[in-house]
């Protein structure tokens, strides 16, 4: 008896799948073959990921539980069941975290890098820290007495500090808090020694509460629900209501308390009497610093750069290394694979357009532009030069709202036409259009991408950029921006595909069509997440028809591979390594257009609740380059994990020669760049072909 494709037995829970992803990040931190600070970097990433997971996903489940919602997905787990399993998973993984951190710190010690509490410093170091405390810490930290006239204060999201039990000369017991503001560094540095700031503040606490003796203390950190709810339809001024929403982020319900193991029981009871939390939401650490994300301070120390993997300098290869970028696009479509291909041509696309007297208009979407954006600066320069500049700045980009708000105001002040998103939908599409006057005609140049217009993240994320001057793309780009700035809800693009109306139906049709090829069929889908039930069901049907399906899904995957009669023709891989895998690439072997790149993941939020773009790759040479990128990743036996039917991931065994797709591409690009600097940019095709033959 075959399972109904709607059966909950065929779907992994998305939250538990995400936890598996973060465990794969942690596995990188456990890898002793990596340099110690590279390992510490992955521990920092793990912690930052987990903070966001708690602030959004766990907070959301708690809200659903309170609302008595019983089911949240095709796996049929209730919110309470999910919360129970999340807590069990994280508390079990806690010991691995502790062991990992201890191992890394021990290895760093061998290189002369130390993380030490104040009480184990030598006398000379203590004197230096004393001076730093009174000059730089004492003036800005905040001691807070808690009593009948001093109520327990509101603690903002991710607040960090010390809770204390104190006794005065009359032997009266008091409680107090010391807030440690984020403007202070997490670690105070003396050469290559890093001292956690809380151990310093704890030692000098008597200076903050004169006349009191310290009986007990514990560092603590709280996490709140940080999901902003904005009633856009009721907003007369979206900017104002967004700013109010950002302020409310610090007022969300408490969902987690972190503190150090061995905290005094009475002091813990005092804290918990003011914090409404379940026991499962309390995490006690033995040696781990509170706020693992703060380890970036140590990782980012330039004097310790020799303790991370070597930095790769992206290369600009022909035809973009010598020509004006627009002249190059006139001759041929261009596809770049970042960070191996430099992101600089994308920046130059806007910069050159901004200063070219032939440029009439520049239009683009900005989702996460970064704090110091050369692209935004170029757009402002273009406005001042009299060019028409239209920018969709998505103010609802989670945790980048304030940054985007600042850029939106700067662009608007300069005179650009700024659109602040679309009511009810996030604009996640990555597109830029430049319109130039060429003689008596107007010529459109379009850049379409899988990643953000952020030069910083473009050095550590893999992504695809596509430049074209084809008329069909220019026409669609114009219609797309008219849709963003106007009121039309019926825009349908002719060559590009736009969600929420076009991408999902197109993908379902492509999957169904390739599935009918049976054993000759081959589908490769590369994305960050696969959650959408309709897409999963379509892939199951393709597998049942004998079609080979290879999924390269970095993070969440709700599809279960390897089920007899359902998904035995499906493999699911996850690549975790030096670079964050970020492209969305969809490949169908027998379709006339084999390859598509997209801003959209395979999730309901991307396919039906966001404005996204999917781009067909029409040039055979560019299609071949993308095919070989995919094949190279499927041949990777160093960074690739495979999902099992039971939900666990297993590192791919080393068979044949080692293939780390990140390292291989770095080495090859360096080789061809240094050797001739005249290579055509089809290096991925030739390289991947050679590797696949060897393996």
């Amino acid at each position: 008896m075959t399972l109904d494709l709607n059966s909950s037995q065929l779907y992994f829970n998305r939250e538990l799948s995400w936890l598996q992803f973060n465990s794969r990040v942690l596995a990188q931190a456990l890898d002793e073959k990596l340099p110690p600070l590279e390992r510490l970097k992955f521990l920092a990433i793990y912690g930052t990921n987990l903070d966001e997971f708690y602030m959004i996903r766990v907070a959301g489940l708690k809200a659903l539980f309170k609302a008595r919602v019983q089911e949240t997905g095709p796996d049929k787990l209730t919110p309470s069941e999910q919360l129970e399993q999340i807590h069990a998973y994280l508390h079990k993984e806690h010991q691995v975290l502790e062991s990992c951190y201890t191992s890394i710190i021990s290895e760093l010690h061998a290189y002369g890098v130390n993380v030490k509490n104040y009480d184990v410093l030598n006398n000379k170091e203590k004197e230096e820290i004393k001076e730093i405390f009174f000059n730089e810490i004492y003036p800005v930290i905040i001691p807070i007495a808690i009593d009948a006239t001093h109520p327990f204060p509101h603690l903002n999201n991710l607040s960090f500090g010390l809770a204390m039990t104190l006794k005065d000369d009359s032997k009266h017991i008091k409680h107090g808090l010391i807030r440690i503001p984020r403007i202070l560094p997490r670690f105070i540095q003396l050469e290559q020694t890093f001292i956690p700031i809380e151990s310093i503040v704890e030692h000098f606490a008597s200076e903050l509460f004169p006349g009191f003796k310290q009986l007990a203390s514990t560092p603590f950190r709280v996490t709140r629900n940080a999901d902003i709810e904005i009633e856009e339809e009721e907003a007369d001024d979206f900017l104002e209501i967004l700013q109010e929403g950002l302020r409310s982020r610090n007022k969300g319900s408490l969902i987690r308390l972190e503190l150090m193991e061995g905290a005094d029981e009475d002091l813990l009871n005092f804290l918990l009497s003011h914090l409404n939390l379940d026991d499962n939401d309390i995490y006690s650490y033995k040696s781990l610093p509170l706020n693992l994300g703060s380890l970036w301070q140590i990782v980012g120390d330039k004097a310790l750069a020799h303790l991370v993997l070597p930095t790769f300098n992206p290369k600009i290869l022909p035809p973009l290394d010598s020509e004006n970028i627009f002249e190059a696009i006139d001759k041929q479509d261009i596809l770049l694979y970042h960070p191996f291909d430099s992101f600089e041509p994308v920046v130059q696309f806007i910069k050159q357009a901004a200063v070219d007297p032939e440029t009439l208009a520049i239009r683009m979407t900005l989702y996460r532009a970064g704090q110091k954006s050369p692209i935004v600066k170029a757009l402002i320069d273009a406005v001042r030069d009299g060019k028409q500049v239209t920018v969709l700045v998505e103010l609802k980009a989670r945790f980048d709202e304030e940054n985007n708000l600042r850029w939106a105001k700067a662009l608007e002040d300069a005179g650009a036409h700024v659109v602040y998103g679309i009511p009810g939908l996030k604009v996640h599409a990555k597109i830029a259009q430049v319109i130039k006057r060429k003689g008596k005609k107007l010529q459109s140049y379009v850049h379409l991408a899988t990643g953000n217009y952020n030069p910083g993240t473009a050095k550590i994320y893999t992504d695809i950029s596509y430049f074209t001057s084809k008329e069909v793309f220019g026409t669609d780009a114009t219609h797309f921006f008219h849709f963003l700035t106007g009121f039309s809800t019926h825009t349908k693009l002719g060559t590009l595909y736009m969600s929420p109306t076009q991408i999902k139906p197109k993908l379902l049709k492509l999957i169904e069509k390739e599935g009918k090829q049976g054993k000759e069929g081959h589908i490769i889908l590369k994305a960050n997440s696969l959650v959408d039930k309709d897409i999963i069901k379509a892939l199951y049907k393709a597998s049942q028809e004998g079609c080979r399906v290879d999924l390269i899904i970095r993070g969440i995957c709700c599809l279960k591979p390897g089920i007899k009669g359902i998904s035995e023709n499906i493999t699911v891989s996850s690549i975790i390594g030096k670079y964050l895998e970020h492209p969305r690439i969809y490949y169908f072997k027998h379709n006339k257009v084999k390859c598509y790149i997209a801003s959209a993941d395979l999730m309901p939020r991307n396919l039906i609740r966001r404005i996204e773009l999917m781009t067909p790759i029409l040039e055979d040479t560019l299609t071949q380059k993308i095919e070989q990128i995919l094949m190279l990743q499927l041949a990777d036996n160093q960074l690739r994990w495979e999902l099992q039917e039971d939900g666990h991931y297993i590192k791919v065994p080393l068979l044949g020669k080692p293939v780390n797709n990140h390292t291989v591409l770095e080495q090859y690009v360096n080789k061809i760049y240094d050797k001739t600097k005249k290579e055509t940019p089809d290096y991925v095709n030739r390289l991947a072909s050679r590797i696949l033959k060897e393996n």
Side-chain angles (χ1 to χ4, degrees):
M1 178 178 171
T2 58
L3 283 172
D4 177 358
L5 293 186
N6 290 308
S7 169
S8 62
Q9 297 178 52
L10 296 180
Y11 300 90
F12 291 125
N13 176 263
R14 64 160 290 166
E15 315 304 351
L16 301 178
S17 179
W18 184 92
L19 290 175
Q20 286 276 344
F21 156 67
N22 214 29
S23 293
R24 296 194 295 281
V25 173
L26 179 58
Q28 292 295 107
L30 291 163
D31 186 352
E32 295 182 358
K33 296 190 296 293
L34 292 174
L37 278 194
E38 192 74 15
R39 296 175 63 196
L40 199 69
K41 179 187 80 173
F42 281 105
L43 201 58
I45 294 170
Y46 173 94
T48 304
N49 287 349
L50 193 57
D51 282 349
E52 184 170 334
F53 178 73
Y54 244 92
M55 288 188 285
I56 303 300
R57 303 305 308 177
V58 173
L61 287 173
K62 284 178 172 286
L64 291 172
F65 174 73
K66 288 180 181 177
R68 299 183 180 180
V69 173
Q70 290 302 305
E71 291 181 6
T72 60
D75 57 276
K76 306 297 185 185
L77 287 180
T78 67
S80 62
E81 288 170 335
Q82 292 178 66
L83 287 168
E84 184 178 339
Q85 292 189 43
I86 288 167
H87 293 141
Y89 190 103
L90 290 175
H91 283 286
K92 183 178 179 180
E93 194 166 69
H94 177 79
Q95 296 302 318
V96 181
L97 269 177
E98 294 277 4
S99 174
C100 178
Y101 178 73
T102 301
S103 168
I104 296 171
I105 295 304
S106 176
E107 188 177 355
L108 284 171
H109 177 70
Y111 287 93
V113 180
N114 295 289
V115 178
K116 294 181 180 179
N117 284 333
Y118 174 88
D119 57 5
V120 297
L121 299 177
N122 61 41
N123 290 334
K124 180 176 179 295
E125 290 170 329
K126 286 181 176 178
E127 283 301 313
E128 290 182 62
I129 290 297
K130 181 178 181 181
E131 185 175 346
I132 291 171
F133 174 80
F134 284 106
N135 289 337
E136 301 176 26
I137 301 174
Y138 180 82
V140 292
I141 54 177
I142 308 166
I144 303 169
I146 312 294
D147 57 25
T149 57
H150 299 86
F152 194 91
H154 174 80
L155 300 173
N156 287 342
N157 185 32
L158 303 181
S159 283
F160 169 55
L162 289 164
M164 314 195 77
T165 304
L166 305 160
K167 182 172 68 172
D168 64 15
D169 294 337
S170 302
K171 297 187 178 182
H172 291 129
I173 303 298
K174 299 275 189 178
H175 288 110
L177 303 179
I178 301 175
R179 278 181 168 168
I180 302 177
R182 293 180 202 177
I183 57 172
L184 291 171
R186 181 64 183 79
F187 300 93
I188 302 302
Q189 186 174 354
L190 296 179
E191 296 180 347
Q192 292 192 162
T193 297
F194 296 84
I195 302 101
I197 192 170
E198 68 273 23
S199 73
I200 299 169
V201 173
E202 185 175 33
H203 176 79
F204 289 102
S206 59
E207 302 292 340
L208 296 158
F209 294 100
F212 283 86
K213 180 182 178 182
Q214 179 181 324
L215 298 180
S217 68
T218 182
F220 73 95
R221 182 173 182 253
V222 299
T223 308
R224 291 184 177 274
N225 181 341
D227 208 4
I228 299 173
E229 293 185 16
I230 299 174
E231 300 295 333
E232 297 174 57
E233 300 293 346
E234 299 176 13
D236 294 323
D237 186 332
F238 181 72
L239 267 68
E240 184 178 330
I241 201 166
L242 177 71
Q243 289 172 317
E244 179 59 35
L246 290 174
R247 287 189 288 271
S248 73
R249 180 170 277 164
N250 283 319
K251 299 176 183 177
S253 58
L254 283 164
I255 53 171
R256 183 176 60 165
L257 171 65
E258 298 168 281
L259 37 73
M260 299 308 293
E261 198 174 282
D264 177 77
E265 189 175 342
D266 289 336
L267 183 56
L268 180 57
N269 289 335
F270 159 73
L271 268 179
L272 293 178
S273 69
H274 295 281
L275 307 174
N276 184 23
L277 285 165
D278 297 331
D279 289 345
N280 281 329
D281 292 318
I282 302 169
Y283 293 85
S284 299
Y285 302 143
K286 184 176 181 180
S287 58
L288 285 171
L290 301 184
N291 185 6
L292 288 174
S294 65
L295 294 172
W296 278 108
Q297 181 186 340
I298 303 174
V299 175
D301 190 321
K302 292 181 180 178
L304 305 178
H306 59 292
L307 299 178
V308 295
L309 288 174
T311 300
F312 174 73
N313 294 317
K315 302 298 186 290
I316 302 177
L317 298 174
L320 299 177
D321 58 336
S322 58
E323 293 186 62
N324 173 288
I325 191 167
F326 294 97
E327 293 174 0
I329 300 169
D330 278 331
K331 295 175 183 176
Q332 66 188 87
D333 287 1
I334 298 168
L335 189 140
L336 304 178
Y337 185 35
H338 309 301
F340 313 102
D341 288 311
S342 173
F343 191 75
E344 184 58 24
V346 181
V347 177
Q348 289 302 319
F349 182 70
I350 304 299
K351 279 188 172 182
Q352 290 181 20
V355 298
D356 189 342
E358 291 184 339
T359 300
L360 299 179
I362 303 173
R363 302 162 174 165
M364 70 185 304
T365 58
L366 290 177
Y367 192 77
R368 301 188 195 276
Q371 290 190 350
K372 297 178 181 179
S373 174
I375 288 176
V376 175
K377 184 178 182 302
L379 292 170
I380 291 171
D381 291 342
V383 176
R384 290 170 178 165
D385 198 41
K387 296 170 175 62
Q388 183 195 70
V389 174
T390 303
V391 186
L392 183 293
V393 181
E394 182 48 80
L395 296 181
K396 300 186 289 290
R398 186 177 286 145
F399 301 121
D400 264 353
E401 299 98 340
E402 293 180 62
N403 197 46
N404 286 4
L405 187 61
R406 188 175 71 252
W407 284 131
K409 288 181 176 178
L411 285 161
E412 196 165 55
D413 289 346
H417 177 59
V418 180
V419 182
Y420 299 110
I422 303 294
L425 297 167
K426 278 188 182 179
V427 180
H428 193 248
K430 324 297 184 186
I431 181 172
Q433 181 185 32
V434 172
I435 299 173
K436 291 175 175 279
R437 184 176 297 283
K438 289 292 186 77
K440 295 182 179 180
K441 300 177 49 177
L442 296 185
Q443 176 66 55
S444 177
Y445 299 86
V446 182
H447 173 260
L448 294 144
T450 63
N452 298 307
Y453 289 104
N454 186 329
T457 55
K459 293 177 182 177
I460 55 175
Y461 289 18
T462 64
D463 266 309
I464 288 179
S465 279
Y466 175 59
F467 295 99
T468 182
S469 60
K470 283 186 169 64
E471 186 176 350
V472 289
F473 289 110
T475 300
D476 271 359
T478 299
H479 289 159
F480 178 75
F481 282 106
H482 285 176
F483 160 73
L484 293 183
T485 58
F487 288 106
S488 174
T489 57
H490 303 290
T491 299
K492 187 175 181 180
L493 305 181
T495 303
L496 297 171
Y497 298 87
M498 179 174 68
S499 68
T501 56
Q502 291 179 281
I503 295 179
K504 183 173 176 177
K506 179 64 176 178
L507 284 174
L508 290 172
K509 185 177 179 181
L510 288 165
I511 293 168
E512 180 184 13
K513 184 178 176 183
E514 191 66 27
K516 293 187 186 304
Q517 297 292 326
K519 292 183 179 180
E520 297 300 313
H522 191 190
I523 297 169
I524 306 175
L525 304 182
K526 177 174 172 60
N528 296 319
S529 300
L530 170 57
V531 176
D532 188 87
K533 183 179 179 181
D534 294 329
I535 297 290
I536 293 173
K537 286 169 64 177
L539 292 170
Y540 283 153
K541 289 176 183 176
S543 172
Q544 288 176 316
E545 294 183 90
C547 180
R548 176 184 169 192
V549 179
D550 290 313
L551 305 175
I552 307 173
I553 309 296
R554 185 193 79 216
I556 302 166
C557 181
C558 295
L559 176 147
K560 289 188 176 183
I563 301 173
K564 189 174 180 181
I566 301 287
S567 58
E568 68 262 49
N569 294 312
I570 302 177
T571 68
V572 180
S573 298
S574 173
I575 292 174
I576 308 290
K578 181 177 180 179
Y579 301 113
L580 182 79
E581 291 291 332
H582 196 250
R584 292 83 168 189
I585 304 172
Y586 306 132
Y587 168 87
F588 306 90
K589 182 179 178 181
H590 291 90
N591 197 58
K592 183 178 179 181
V593 177
K594 292 184 179 181
C595 287
Y596 299 78
I597 63 170
S599 61
D601 277 311
L602 302 172
M603 304 177 75
R605 73 180 190 189
N606 300 91
L607 299 175
I608 61 177
R609 297 196 295 274
R610 287 186 177 183
I611 294 171
E612 308 265 14
L613 286 173
M614 184 169 77
T615 304
I617 303 300
L618 305 180
E619 299 285 337
D620 288 342
T621 55
L622 302 185
T623 296
Q624 289 169 16
K625 180 173 179 177
I626 292 177
E627 287 179 19
Q628 297 293 357
I629 289 171
L630 295 173
M631 296 304 174
L632 180 59
Q633 296 213 324
L634 289 171
D636 192 307
N637 54 24
Q638 299 287 286
L639 305 178
R640 189 164 61 92
W641 299 69
E642 280 195 353
L643 176 60
Q644 308 301 299
E645 185 182 344
D646 64 359
H648 289 88
Y649 284 77
I650 295 177
K651 198 79 176 281
V652 172
L654 175 59
L655 299 174
K657 293 185 178 180
V659 179
N660 175 325
N661 82 94
H662 294 169
T663 302
V664 165
L665 287 172
E666 285 182 349
Q667 292 173 345
Y668 197 81
V669 170
N670 279 336
K671 179 181 176 183
I672 64 171
Y673 182 82
D674 294 338
K675 188 174 180 181
T676 67
K677 298 187 181 177
K678 294 180 181 178
E679 287 275 356
T680 54
D682 65 345
Y683 58 89
V684 175
N685 295 354
R686 291 178 284 110
L687 172 65
S689 296
R690 175 172 62 77
I691 288 173
L692 292 170
K693 286 177 183 176
E694 291 174 353
N695 286 270

